[in-house]
Amino acid sequence: MPKIKTNKSAAKRFYKSGSGKILRNKAFKQHLLTSKSRKTKRNLRKKSVLFKGDKIRIKKLIPRA
């Protein structure tokens, strides 16, 4: 039986928490930050949990991560 390869692009974007949840970084934090408030930028730093439908697809891409 061959090993399952990890999708490297997905592995760089998604993380597995200790409890098994899949976390992602939030969008809109790359550029045009001068127009965003300090509070908005601070909240964008936090990770967020992936939605259930996406979780099923991403689990196949990062089997061991």
Side-chain angles (χ1 to χ4, degrees):
M1 192 72 180
K3 293 181 181 179
I4 300 170
K5 284 192 174 182
T6 300
N7 183 299
K8 289 299 183 181
S9 62
K12 292 169 189 172
R13 289 173 173 84
F14 302 103
Y15 316 89
K16 257 187 194 170
S17 69
S19 61
K21 293 176 184 173
I22 297 179
L23 303 171
R24 64 172 178 86
N25 288 320
K26 293 185 178 176
F28 307 109
K29 187 69 170 63
Q30 293 296 319
H31 61 108
L32 301 174
L33 297 174
T34 52
S35 60
K36 294 173 181 131
S37 70
R38 185 181 294 179
K39 182 180 177 181
T40 302
K41 289 184 277 192
R42 187 171 59 243
N43 288 335
L44 288 172
R45 273 188 234 143
K46 298 172 186 172
K47 308 250 184 287
S48 62
V49 179
L50 215 59
F51 292 108
K52 186 182 175 185
D54 294 330
K55 182 182 176 183
I56 295 163
R57 291 187 298 141
I58 299 300
K59 266 192 165 179
K60 292 176 187 173
L61 297 176
I62 48 170
R64 299 287 231 106

